[in-house]
Every structure is written in C-alpha cells, then in structure tokens.
C-alpha cells in the first residue's frame, strides 16, 4: 500500500513539475532516478518521512525513495527525533516527565533533563549503550491557551490541556489547515483528575452544594455565616485564569449556574501555592485539582434531597463525582517520529497507568467494585422508591446486579446532548482494547442504563435502554478484532431507580444520566 501511494505521489509530482527548475530553498528532494525534483522548506522529519512546504502546498515524502540536498537536510545516520510539547504546566512539570522516565527505563534509554528558561525545558533520551541522543522532548509548560496557540502556529506536536478544545479554537484549527480536531486520533485522555472545593482543616464547613459554590465564587455569597460558618468574610482562591484548570472550573461550576467569577479573587500560577494559602487561612476557600489538594480539606458536594457526593479515586474513574477534569493530549494530523509513537503507545499500557497513579493522578485501568463496596447507591434507590418505582422493580434490579461487580468504566453524556463526554469517549477505546486482548473472555458484560427522574418512569427506562445499546454498539465498533463468541455483551436498564445525585439541579440530572458496565 505504501509503495502504491509513493508511486502515485511521484507520478503527480512528475506531471506537475517535470520541467520546473529547482529553486534554492531549505532542501531539494530528487527521486533516485533523477527524473523528479522537488524543493521547499523542511517543516519536519520523523526519521522516515519529510514534511515539506512547497509552492504546491504541504507535502509528505517517503525518505526511502528520494535523495536530499541543501542546508535543511537532516542527518539520516544519527537522526534525533524532536517532539514539541506545549500547554498545561501541571501535565508538563509532573505527569509527562514521570511517564518519560518510565518509558526510558523500560526501553534502554536514559532520560536527562535540561532546563532552559522559565517554563521551558528539554528531556533528552540517550541510548544507554552508545550514549547517543535519540530523542528530544521539548517542553513549553504554561497553560492550555498557549498550547493551542502553539498548535495553530505549527509550533507544537502535542498539546497538553486540562480542558477540551473550544469551538473557536477548533474553527481556527480548521482554517489553519489542521482539519477537524474532533476527529478520530486527534486527541486522547491521558489521565483523570477532578475539580474540588477546598478549605482549611480548621474550617467548620464540611459540605457545599454546587449552586452555593458558584454563588460563593461569583460574590453573591460573601460571608461564611450564610454557609453555616462564622460571621466573617470569605476569601477566594483560584488558579490563574489562563490555565486549563481555571477554564474547566468556569465550565463546570460557574456556567451551569449562569454566573461569572467575582473580581476579588486571589489567583495563583502554582497550585501548590494555592493549597498552602487556603491551608493556613481558616476563612478562605479555593477550587483546585484533586491531585493538588495537598494539606487542605475537600468539601463534599451536597444536594437538597439529602444525597451527597464525595470525591475519591474510584468516584473520579466512574464519574460518580460530577466535577471530573480529564487530562487531554491533542495532536495535529501528521505523523510523529517513531519513538514518539512508541511513547504514546506506552502511555496506555498497564505500567504507565501505575506511573500515573503514583504521580498523584487517576489512571484509567478498569477496576471491579463488588456490590458491598458501593456505598449508598442501593440506599439511594430505596429512598426514591414510590408510585413510579415499585418495590418489585427494586427487587428485580437488586437480583440482576447483586451477583455481579460494577466496572469503574462508565459512560456519561455531554449536557443537553446524546454525545458521550470526553472521558466516556476515552472509556469506549479503553474497554474496546480490553475486549480485543481477551481480558473479559468467557465473562458476561452488562451495559446498564440509568436516567434522571424527569418525566414518566417507563419512558425514562426506554431512553436509558437505548443509551445502553448505543454505548454497547460503540464499544463493539471500536473493538475491531474482538471475538464476540468468547464474551457476552448484553444490555439492561433501570431508568431512574438508582440516582447518584438530586434531580432538582441540572448537574444532578446530568450525573444521573449514565450507562454503567457490570461484569460477571
């Protein structure tokens, strides 16, 4: 196939350029028989293919079929792969270096860090046997805004972000020739985190509703007395407003309440500094990431119906805790050097998931949760039983689920949409890969749909069943090589019978609309 493509490219170039002279630019490429010549500016070389800007547009040429001349030609004998990473400081300073170190040690490389300037550093991978540098991971660790700007300027190979790419950024990317950034293989979830409200351990407040949290940070609630605390003003702390985390906080906390941040908020470039400021001040409250909570106390999210949601590693994995913050990698639509592709493949391995957990973040390895370890979920089901949810239905749900274990792999949907959210789209790929390698061979997986309580119970169950079937089909479509004769993939639904949160708020209803996976 590659040969046919290469021949087609050469034929097209010959027809277009056969009689054109070579203009002195960065490089000149010529077919080995000398009949086809192409000149332009070298945009990149991945060890196998040249990426060249020419008067005919950007072209990708297989190096095995051409000879290169000019000052821009790379050294083919001692090629050093370069990978430009830009974006989130949290990912760039903590998570990615931990993964690079682990990847290097498993592949016979030595990782050496070279600091250049504030927020800029390089990891060199050296072959332990020859001491030769084989790759450079060049970091610009600032924030998501800068990362996406670098991507649009063709100055980044990978963007690290604590938020999804915004519609305006996707539009600019398309206009810049980067294609559809929502397309397949243009992004992935590397690890998981969550947005958490934190206070000093000496603060008497232990819980807060999402609406009241938004009202606090909008300035509508400015005294602790309103929250049941002392008669004293509330001091507010947030990450720097250009960070992906701050933007995720706005999207998940403020936007659902139709509120904006107050002006009197102390912003922090460093999340450790944010935690330290909150820790020593009993009259302050902050919002930070689960991984960066440090010595603070995390407030439980509460609701008017009496349900509450505590954050934990498993609750983040399942998205039972509603304010999750997936950590994204975004890529342009071009080949990366082979060692970069190998590194990205490693980040999905079981060993990498262990590194992610040790670095303080939440990994994506599916875990099985027995029924007896699932907290108040069945108690919540009993609490909402009534005319529409009968005792017989609860007995049927209990009889179906009790012999099984729940996977931490769950599926939720974007607000007001039938499209799976970012973490759930990643879960489709994770579960598909597990099925392909036979992890669940001879077992039964049950996709179970749940809904919010808005509307008739019968209709909600039907909607939940359709969602469960849609997720099942998405997983099957992604698991290209799975042997469906060796695993049972079934669907069921119990509608509004097991709520996770109160139905009296938009975020609560969204938390209740989900598809769980149970296994036996």
């Amino acid at each position: 196939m590659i040969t046919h493509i290469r021949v087609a490219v050469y034929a097209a170039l010959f027809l277009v350029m056969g009689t054109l002279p070579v203009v002195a630019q960065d490089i000149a490429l010529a077919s080995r028989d000398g009949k086809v010549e192409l000149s332009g500016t070298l945009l990149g070389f991945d060890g196998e293919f040249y990426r060249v800007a020419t008067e005919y547009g950007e072209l990708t040429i297989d190096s095995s079929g051409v000879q290169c001349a000019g000052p821009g030609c790379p050294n083919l004998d001692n090629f050093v792969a370069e990978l430009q990473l830009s974006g989130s400081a949290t990912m760039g300073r903590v998570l990615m270096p931990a993964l690079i170190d682990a990847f290097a040690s498993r592949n016979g490389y030595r990782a050496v860090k070279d600091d250049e300037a504030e927020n800029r550093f390089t990891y060199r991978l050296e072959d332990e046997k020859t001491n030769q540098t084989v790759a450079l991971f060049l970091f610009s660790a600032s924030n998501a805004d800068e990362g996406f700007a670098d991507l649009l300027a063709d100055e980044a190979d990978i963007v690290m972000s604590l938020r999804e790419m915004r519609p305006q950024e996707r539009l600019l990317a398309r206009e810049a020739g980067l294609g559809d950034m929502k397309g397949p293989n243009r992004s992935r979830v590397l690890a998981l985190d969550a947005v958490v409200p934190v206070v000093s351990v000496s603060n008497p407040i232990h819980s807060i509703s999402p609406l009241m949290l938004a009202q606090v940070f909008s300035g509508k609630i400015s005294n602790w007395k309103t929250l049941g605390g002392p008669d004293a003003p509330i001091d507010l702390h947030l990450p720097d407003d250009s960070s992906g985390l701050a933007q995720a906080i706005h999207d998940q906390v403020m936007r659902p309440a139709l509120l904006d941040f107050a002006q009197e908020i102390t912003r922090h470039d460093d999340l450790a500094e944010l935690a330290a400021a909150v820790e020593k001040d009993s009259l302050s409250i902050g919002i930070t990431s689960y991984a960066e909570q440090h010595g603070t106390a995390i407030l439980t999210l509460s609701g008017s119906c009496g349900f509450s949601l505590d954050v934990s590693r498993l609750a983040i994995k399942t998205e039972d805790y509603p304010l999750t913050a997936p950590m994204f990698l975004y890529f342009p639509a071009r080949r990366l050097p082979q060692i970069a592709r190998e590194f990205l493949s490693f980040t999905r391995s079981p060993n990498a998931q262990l590194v992610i957990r040790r670095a303080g973040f939440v990994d994506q390895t599916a875990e099985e949760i027995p029924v007896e370890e699932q907290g108040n979920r069945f108690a919540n089901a009993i609490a909402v039983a009534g005319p529409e949810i009968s005792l017989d239905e609860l007995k049927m749900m209990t009889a179906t689920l009790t012999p099984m274990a729940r996977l931490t792999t769950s599926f939720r949907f974007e607000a007001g949409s039938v499209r799976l959210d970012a973490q759930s789209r990643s879960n489709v790929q994770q579960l598909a890969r597990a099925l392909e390698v036979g992890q669940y061979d001879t077992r039964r997986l049950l996709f179970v749909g749940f809904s919010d309580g808005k509307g008739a119970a019968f209709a909600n169950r039907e909607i939940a069943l359709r969602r469960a079937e849609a997720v099942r089909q998405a997983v099957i479509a992604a698991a290209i090589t799975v042997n469906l004769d060796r695993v049972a993939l079934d669907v069921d639904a119990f509608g509004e019978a097991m709520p996770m949160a109160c139905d009296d708020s938009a975020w609560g209803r969204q938390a209740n609309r989900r598809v769980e996976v149970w296994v036996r």
Side-chain angles (χ1 to χ4, degrees), residues 318-329:
T318 59
E319 287 190 89
D320 288 351
Y321 181 78
L323 305 181
T324 57
M327 310 182 85
F328 295 94
L329 297 180

Side-chain angles (χ1 to χ4, degrees), residues 165-426:
M165 201 174 192
R166 301 210 181 284
Q168 181 61 25
E169 290 167 334
R170 292 199 302 270
L171 177 62
L172 292 173
R174 187 181 291 274
E175 292 174 350
L178 296 179
D180 181 9
M181 294 302 296
K182 271 199 168 183
N185 302 318
R186 304 306 299 279
S187 67
R188 75 165 58 163
V189 174
L190 179 66
L192 306 174
D193 206 341
V195 168
V196 293
V198 294
V199 295
S200 167
V201 293
S202 61
N203 192 303
I205 301 300
H206 301 292
S207 65
I208 191 170
S209 73
L211 177 58
M212 295 188 84
L213 182 64
Q215 290 174 336
V216 166
F217 278 87
S218 71
K220 287 184 174 294
I221 295 177
S222 59
N223 193 295
W224 282 108
K225 189 175 182 180
T226 308
L227 303 176
D231 184 5
I234 303 174
D235 295 326
L236 307 176
H237 297 265
L238 283 175
D240 181 81
D241 59 3
S242 64
S243 71
L245 180 62
Q247 293 160 3
I249 292 169
H250 181 272
D251 292 347
Q252 297 194 50
V253 177
M254 308 303 290
R255 183 178 292 170
L258 303 178
L259 295 171
D260 287 319
F261 289 123
Q263 294 296 319
E264 299 77 23
I265 296 178
T266 302
R267 298 279 186 166
H268 300 266
D269 292 330
D270 189 313
L271 295 182
E273 293 178 0
L274 187 157
V278 172
E279 182 183 9
K280 67 182 182 183
D281 181 4
S282 63
L283 298 179
S284 67
I285 184 173
I287 305 181
T288 187
S289 77
Y290 176 72
E292 299 278 3
Q293 68 195 56
H294 300 298
T296 60
I298 298 177
L299 297 180
T300 296
L301 295 182
S302 61
S304 59
C305 66
F307 294 173
S308 60
L309 295 171
D310 286 309
V311 67
S312 68
R313 188 176 58 82
L314 291 182
I316 294 171
K317 274 192 179 185
T318 59
E319 287 190 89
D320 288 351
Y321 181 78
L323 305 181
T324 57
M327 310 182 85
F328 295 94
L329 297 180
Y330 279 86
F331 317 97
R334 61 170 180 264
R335 286 171 54 93
L336 297 175
Q338 181 177 348
I339 195 169
R341 300 196 302 271
E342 291 171 352
F343 168 71
L344 291 173
S345 178
F346 166 76
T347 63
R348 285 180 160 169
S349 69
N351 289 314
Q353 298 306 305
L354 182 59
V355 171
I356 289 169
R357 187 186 299 188
R358 286 176 175 171
F361 301 96
V362 179
D363 62 282
Q364 298 180 83
T365 303
E367 300 178 51
E368 298 182 17
I369 314 173
V371 169
E372 60 269 20
E373 295 180 14
Q374 296 192 38
N376 297 325
R377 286 159 52 81
F378 284 87
N380 290 352
I382 295 172
V384 299
E388 292 195 326
I389 305 297
S390 67
L391 180 60
D392 287 341
E393 287 183 78
L394 294 183
K395 287 181 176 179
M396 180 175 64
M397 179 179 70
T398 302
T400 300
L401 300 181
T402 299
M404 308 182 80
R406 181 192 177 192
L407 286 186
T408 51
T409 305
S410 301
F411 302 90
R412 281 182 165 78
F413 305 85
E414 294 180 347
S417 171
V418 295
R419 185 172 186 261
L420 290 172
D421 66 19
Q423 184 170 326
S424 297
R425 295 196 298 272
S426 177

Side-chain angles (χ1 to χ4, degrees), residues 63 138 290:
S63 64
L138 304 142
Y290 176 72

Side-chain angles (χ1 to χ4, degrees), residues 453-465:
K454 193 175 182 179
F458 174 79
N460 286 338
R461 186 183 182 280
E462 290 301 309
I463 292 171
L465 187 64

